[in-house]
Amino acid sequence: MVLDVRIRCCLLLLVTILCQTVTVTTAQTWLRSLIDSTNGTIDIKSFPGEQCLRVCDDTQPRICYFSWTMEHYHAMGPACRACSKGSPQDCFHPACLTADGVERGVMSLNRQIPGPMISVCKDDLIVVDITNAMAGTSATIHWHGLHQRATPHMDGVPFITQCPIQFGNTFRYAYLATEAGTQFYHSHSGHHKVNGHYGALIVREPKRADPNSALYDYDSSSHVIVGSDWMHVDGEMFMPGLPSSGGILPVNLLINGRGTFKENENSSRTNVPLEVFYVQRGKRFRFRFINAASHVCPLQLQIEDHTMEIIASDSFHLQPHKVDTLVTTSGERYDFVVHANGVKDTYWVRLRALGSCEQLQLEQFAVLSYKHDPKEKLAFPQEEPPPYDKPFAGARTANHPNATCGQPAFGDYCITDFQAYDTDESIINGEPKHIFTLGFSNFLVSFHHMFETHAYEHFMNIHDELMLQGAINDLSFAYPPFPLLTQPEEIDESMFCTNGTRPARCADRQLCTCIHRLKIELGDLVELYILDRTGMIDDLNHPFHLHGYQMYVMELGQDRRVPVTYEIARELAKRRFTTRNTSQLPPRKDTVSIPSRGYARVRFRADNPGFWLMHCHFEWHTAVGMALVLQVGNTDQMVKPPSNFPKCNSYTPKVDDLLNGHI
């Protein structure tokens, strides 16, 4: 069968971009030899992605093909048969999606939540055909953590890098696995992620490339933990919201899509399986934790009577550090080593929601087993999990929401207390070309503006008459009607707004809804001060994700004055700079959790041209405008998509053009 023209175009494009680099990479050589030797005569579908799970030492890159179907599906639907009535084998039918045992409609990928795991080696070519079978719904998938240097049009952000995939259509994502580590994928459309569109994307590397490889014996796909929050209704129920609700909050948590639910003390627990992780006594196991939550609540992970030796965050290596408790916010990933030195046969893996969710006492459990009994048995433990008011012992916590970063108390560590193994002196000690202050907020909007001026702007209704729009520098992000990256010929410079260039319609308003863009020249050194101006409670830390880049986290700070300002941040930064260890190697991340009523100072080199979204990773905050688009370079410096890349835009022709030839 002839090589599909789309994948052939993608291969040629990848080779072209890679050949622009000075160093000849393994991926470049492999792609060139593939094209030259096959002359387009291979069947891309004959390379099943499941076979790409392998030891990555001294291995050649592979093509890893996956075929997924997006579907409106259901948890505890008819495929589960008698699962909830005590038939364990029915719970493990491939089409049975149990979640927490409560029936509800969901959005699934191949009838799974999380979706299928991608597990490949660095420099493999990942090809994913996604068919949208969700009637009335369009969608995209973002590959969180991959920088897409050769294929920015595969970043998966609707109306920034591509048109959303329409019902009945198939879109082929094809990109190189260039960033090794723990990544994940999720929908970037609406509230599809909280409805179920997310999954693990693991890119392994040769052990010689991992400075922490001597710390563990096993790195298995069976030790990936995907933590998520869960609702019993569609996320769209809370967009814009319900006045009678007590806020936009989850009702439960899931571990790898599994869990149980107990509505109150007098109700029985749902009879569905928990996730099971197998270990072998005396061995050391690398675990990978992915925070796929959508709400504002941080997730706290603990393993009963075991420590976690953290070795990576957001796929970047860290010098090892042992903790008892790991706290993360949405979009973050952490890798850690567990030494299986327990004396019992089974232990609890405990996931708890903090912050705004503490009042709800949400927690979920999985099983860590030294026994190798069938999962159907271990997933239904006879022992009740510990009650909420019986926390596990342990004083060392990573990323506690109320940590005073830069002044660590004993056992309380921020990400800036971790050290990398290497750095780029030109970035951490260079003179920035741009210093941007990005103050984010949840902006209170009035009844008059939302319902009497016919603005039709996005907003979320928290409860009663409390309505908010998300904003950065008082600009609430609105998406353009076409993807900026792949249809640059449609761009009109007047469509964008910045702090100093607002549209006339916003002249008399503090808050403006518009296409917020920061434009940066290719190669510039950029420093960002990301400031929490929400004035919210002490334990609400907003995670900010920058597509296409890694950020050097120079410092995190907190001040009790509300709201934090650039001047306050600079004052704290100057004070800490005088006492900073000059040998410090700041960690790199693509998702940074901003301290409540505090700030982060981050740096990056703008060397990846394109249009890249930067946004709060809380799903509702992104939906109501807490985002902006970063334009790096001019459009003629950006990677061009394949010639047949799909296009879209608004359709409002003049009447004579519309009717020409028809009357």
Side-chain angles (χ1 to χ4, degrees), residues 90-335:
D90 286 342
C91 299
F92 287 92
H93 187 282
C96 173
L97 198 162
T98 58
D100 64 355
V102 176
E103 294 181 10
R104 63 152 289 190
V106 301
M107 290 179 173
S108 68
L109 290 165
N110 287 8
R111 299 184 174 178
Q112 300 174 45
I113 295 179
M117 182 184 296
I118 294 177
S119 190
V120 301
C121 291
K122 188 177 185 301
D123 292 332
D124 282 351
L125 176 64
I126 299 173
V127 182
V128 188
D129 280 352
I130 296 185
T131 299
N132 185 353
M134 303 186 299
T137 304
S138 60
T140 63
I141 294 292
H142 168 56
W143 315 97
H144 187 119
L146 295 181
H147 298 167
Q148 304 287 0
R149 288 181 178 273
T151 52
H153 48 282
M154 294 294 172
D155 194 44
V157 184
F159 302 111
I160 302 297
T161 63
Q162 71 173 98
C163 305
I165 310 166
Q166 300 294 323
F167 168 63
N169 290 348
T170 298
F171 184 88
R172 174 165 290 173
Y173 288 98
Y175 53 89
L176 288 173
T178 47
E179 282 71 43
T182 302
Q183 322 294 9
F184 82 121
Y185 63 83
H186 60 84
S187 175
H188 227 296
S189 302
H191 298 287
H192 300 179
K193 179 159 73 78
V194 77
N195 292 336
H197 277 178
Y198 61 86
L201 197 173
I202 310 302
V203 181
R204 289 182 171 81
E205 62 187 344
K207 294 194 76 171
R208 62 179 178 275
D210 180 3
N212 293 312
S213 61
L215 297 178
Y216 55 90
D217 302 304
Y218 297 101
D219 176 13
S220 168
S221 60
S222 62
H223 294 127
V224 175
I225 305 174
V226 183
S228 59
D229 42 27
W230 194 239
M231 308 175 80
H232 290 160
V233 297
D234 289 347
E236 288 76 10
M237 286 283 289
F238 290 90
M239 187 63 192
L242 303 173
S244 61
S245 72
I248 304 175
L249 295 171
V251 298
N252 205 355
L253 305 177
L254 299 177
I255 299 176
N256 288 359
R258 296 190 183 278
T260 59
F261 179 70
K262 185 178 173 69
E263 188 167 7
N264 54 58
E265 293 183 359
N266 299 320
S267 60
S268 58
R269 189 178 299 276
T270 54
N271 189 25
V272 290
L274 300 178
E275 182 64 301
V276 178
F277 301 101
Y278 293 99
V279 293
Q280 181 180 349
R281 189 166 277 107
K283 300 298 183 181
R284 301 164 303 168
F285 297 84
R286 178 176 184 160
F287 278 75
R288 300 168 182 267
F289 180 73
I290 299 168
N291 187 327
S294 297
H295 293 82
V296 301
C297 308
L299 297 184
Q300 177 196 69
L301 181 70
Q302 295 176 310
I303 302 177
E304 181 186 12
D305 293 341
H306 290 73
T307 61
M308 295 175 279
E309 189 169 16
I310 295 174
I311 60 172
S313 179
D314 292 3
S315 79
F316 299 108
H317 302 301
L318 296 173
Q319 296 183 31
H321 206 90
K322 290 183 179 180
V323 299
D324 304 296
T325 301
L326 172 63
V327 178
T328 66
T329 50
S330 174
E332 292 188 293
R333 294 90 65 210
Y334 277 85
D335 296 24

Side-chain angles (χ1 to χ4, degrees), residues 454-490:
H454 305 289
Y456 291 105
E457 294 181 358
H458 47 239
F459 70 96
M460 55 181 173
N461 180 202
I462 303 300
H463 59 77
D464 301 322
E465 295 182 2
L466 179 60
M467 297 173 292
L468 303 173
Q469 283 183 304
I472 298 176
N473 292 354
D474 296 337
L475 302 175
S476 189
F477 185 74
Y479 285 87
F482 58 87
L484 301 171
L485 178 75
T486 51
Q487 293 179 228
E489 68 280 359
E490 306 280 352

